[in-house]
């Protein structure tokens, strides 16, 4: 992939862009194989399109109210406009110019990081498989809230697929994407993410995989591997909006999803209610605390932790619990390998790399563990 921003050193986020795509995938798989060791049946990797795969744009706002930039900041804090970034599909890119015009119309002053002055910090845009949009304006305060409400109909006219619009308030000067307070401006507060015949619901502060097509394949793999294990009881720890739990639900099977985010749990419960799938329960809480305080383990545990892995306490519980099967979906094979060292009785028997993030060294790897 040829990128003028990369060549001009304006953006170097795509660290593998100079490599052939097939070589990128081969190197990722080889690294995962080295970390997991021998005795694992590796299935063919799940490939992505090399570009136009991202369903979410995290756009830092720079420039001025009259001429905003949407993209990233350079080392001096000046805005670098990346509206034509090739990682975004054309339908998502098409929203960026209307958003820039809206910033000007609503009089939103971009936040100046070096000077610590201004209001609008980030614009977060998510596209559903049905090409509907969620747009979140991350602001320093609610000073511009009335103007945003006033001009929102004009943005909706330019973006007829705009399903959810919110203001997120981030008053602190710190390197984070969003704050805790969310103000919903539209009638709907969820974006429908249709995957594999299920309508998952994404609320503003809920996590969803960045690559929709590869995420759909990940959940299909989870369903297939769970059915092969044939468990009566399943826990989906770090369940997010319920992707794995909803996919493995089946008659005669009890599935429990645990996630810290109450927003994500509300989304999972909404999908469960709409789908009529049997045997599903979701609860907000800490995955490790839920496991270590439970009366008895399930037949199958699904874990999809953040990059740090499940950590020593949950890994120790999995080792000692007697649970028969574990489906571990990891975005970091280094922490995965470290967790596996803490649970030697659970051996990886099957694995599959999913190239969720082309042009970078990141990936997802699904591994089925069985008690030796």
């Amino acid at each position: 992939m040829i990128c003028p921003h990369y060549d001009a050193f304006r953006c170097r986020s795509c660290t593998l862009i100079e490599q052939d795509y097939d070589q990128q995938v081969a190197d990722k798989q080889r690294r995962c194989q080295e970390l997991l060791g021998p005795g694992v049946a590796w299935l063919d990797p799940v490939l992505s399109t090399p570009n136009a795969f991202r369903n979410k744009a995290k756009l830092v706002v720079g420039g001025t109210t009259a001429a905003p930039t949407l993209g990233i900041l350079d080392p001096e804090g000046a805005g670098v406009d990346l509206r034509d970034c090739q990682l975004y599909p054309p339908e998502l890119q098409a929203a960026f110019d209307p958003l820039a015009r809206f910033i000007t119309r609503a009089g939103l002053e971009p936040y100046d990081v070096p000077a610590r002055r201004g209001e609008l910090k980030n614009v977060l845009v998510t596209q559903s498989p049905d090409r509907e949009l969620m747009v979140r304006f991350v602001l320093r305060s609610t000073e511009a809230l009335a103007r945003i409400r006033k001009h929102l109909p004009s943005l909706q006219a330019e973006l007829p697929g705009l399903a959810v619009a919110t203001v997120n308030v981030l008053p602190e000067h710190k390197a984070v994407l969003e704050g805790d307070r969310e103000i919903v401006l539209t009638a709907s507060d969820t974006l429908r993410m249709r995957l594999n015949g299920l309508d998952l619901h994404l609320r503003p502060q809920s996590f969803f995989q960045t690559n929709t097509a590869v995420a759909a394949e990940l959940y299909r793999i989870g369903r297939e591997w769970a059915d092969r294990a044939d468990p009566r009881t399943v826990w989906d720890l770090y369940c997010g909006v319920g992707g794995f739990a909803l996919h493995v639900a089946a008659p005669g099977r009890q599935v429990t999803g645990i996630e810290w985010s109450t927003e994500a749990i509300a989304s999972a419960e909404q999908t469960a209610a709409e789908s009529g799938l049997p045997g599903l329960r979701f609860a907000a809480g800490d995955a490790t605390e839920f496991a270590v305080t439970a009366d008895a383990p399930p037949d199958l545990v699904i874990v999809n932790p953040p990059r740090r892995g499940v950590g020593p306490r949950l890994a120790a519980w999995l080792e000692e619990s007697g649970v028969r099967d574990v489906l571990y979906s990891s975005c970091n094979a280094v922490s995965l390998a470290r967790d596996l060292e803490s649970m030697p009785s659970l051996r990886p028997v099957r694995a599959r790399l999913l190239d969720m993030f082309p042009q970078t060294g990141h990936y997802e790897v699904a591994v089925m563990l069985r008690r030796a």
Side-chain angles (χ1 to χ4, degrees):
M1 191 171 80
I2 298 173
C3 174
H5 300 294
Y6 182 89
D7 293 341
F9 287 84
R10 288 189 293 269
C11 175
R12 305 287 284 187
S13 299
C14 291
T15 55
L16 303 183
I17 196 171
E18 296 181 61
Q19 278 190 9
D20 177 78
Y21 179 63
D22 291 341
Q23 188 62 51
Q24 292 180 27
V25 176
D27 289 347
K28 293 178 188 182
Q29 175 135 331
R30 181 169 56 252
R31 176 60 173 155
C32 290
Q33 289 173 336
E34 291 171 353
L35 288 166
L36 267 63
V40 184
W42 283 90
L43 305 179
D44 290 340
V46 175
L47 305 182
S48 171
T49 57
N51 58 0
F53 62 85
R54 287 190 64 95
N55 58 28
K56 184 174 184 178
K58 303 174 182 179
L59 304 168
V60 181
V61 183
T64 65
T65 303
T69 61
L70 301 176
I72 60 174
L73 300 181
D74 69 15
E76 285 71 45
V80 177
D81 199 276
L82 298 177
R83 279 180 252 179
D84 58 347
C85 173
Q86 297 176 63
L87 299 186
Y88 304 123
E91 301 85 3
L92 184 53
Q93 280 189 349
F96 299 161
D97 284 350
L99 285 167
R101 290 192 289 270
F102 177 79
I103 290 169
T104 302
R105 261 196 317 275
L108 305 179
E109 181 186 2
Y111 184 67
D112 185 324
V113 172
R116 302 192 179 192
R117 182 182 62 245
E119 279 294 317
L120 181 59
K121 296 182 174 183
N122 306 310
V123 176
L124 312 178
V125 191
T126 305
Q127 182 185 54
S128 78
D130 295 326
R131 299 183 181 178
E132 292 185 326
L133 296 174
M134 176 189 292
V135 175
R136 303 170 63 207
F137 299 97
V138 182
L139 295 165
R140 188 182 188 184
S141 73
T142 58
E143 179 274 331
L145 182 58
R147 297 198 304 279
I148 291 175
R149 290 187 187 276
K150 175 184 176 181
H151 292 282
L152 185 60
S154 68
L155 181 62
Q156 292 171 312
E158 284 199 77
L159 297 177
L162 181 58
V164 183
T166 74
V167 162
N168 178 276
V169 184
L170 176 61
E172 301 88 357
H173 178 83
K174 57 183 180 181
V176 296
L177 198 63
E178 61 190 36
D180 295 329
R181 184 184 178 192
E182 200 86 27
I183 303 168
V184 180
L185 307 176
T186 47
S188 176
D189 63 352
T190 67
L191 185 67
R192 184 178 60 183
M193 306 295 286
R194 192 192 306 272
L195 288 185
N196 303 326
L198 285 170
D199 284 350
L200 305 182
H201 292 276
L202 183 63
R203 281 177 166 77
Q205 297 193 35
S206 300
F207 169 79
F208 195 82
Q209 296 284 3
T210 301
N211 190 321
T212 303
V214 177
E217 185 60 30
L218 175 64
Y219 296 138
R220 282 193 291 266
I221 290 169
R223 175 188 289 161
E224 176 190 342
W225 290 5
D227 287 346
R228 288 172 66 172
D230 195 26
R232 292 179 298 105
T233 53
V234 180
W235 291 352
D236 179 8
L237 305 182
Y238 313 95
C239 72
V241 297
F244 278 114
L246 292 157
H247 277 78
V248 305
R253 184 178 293 168
Q254 295 297 312
V255 181
T256 300
I258 303 295
E259 166 61 44
W260 184 259
S261 167
T262 56
E263 287 279 284
I265 289 298
S267 297
E269 290 176 333
Q270 182 176 350
T271 302
E274 291 176 355
S275 66
L277 290 168
L280 279 164
R281 181 176 79 89
F282 293 98
D286 180 79
T288 299
E289 287 300 323
F290 172 83
V292 301
T293 58
D295 294 333
D299 299 324
L300 169 67
V301 174
I302 301 171
V303 291
N304 185 16
R307 288 189 60 78
R308 65 177 181 272
V310 301
R313 192 170 175 224
L314 182 53
W317 180 87
L318 287 167
E319 170 65 17
E320 298 165 3
S321 67
V323 66
R324 186 186 69 201
D325 295 294
V326 176
L327 196 167
Y328 194 135
S329 181
S330 170
C331 61
N332 181 5
V334 174
S335 60
L336 166 61
R338 184 170 60 243
D339 288 338
L340 291 179
E341 290 178 357
S342 300
M343 39 189 186
S345 297
L346 289 161
R347 303 307 307 154
V349 295
R350 189 183 317 117
R352 195 165 190 188
L353 178 85
L354 299 101
D355 193 30
M356 196 79 72
F357 312 99
Q359 315 304 338
T360 77
H362 300 294
Y363 51 80
E364 193 83 13
V365 58
V367 184
M368 194 69 185
L369 311 176
R370 172 147 286 206
R371 189 165 296 276

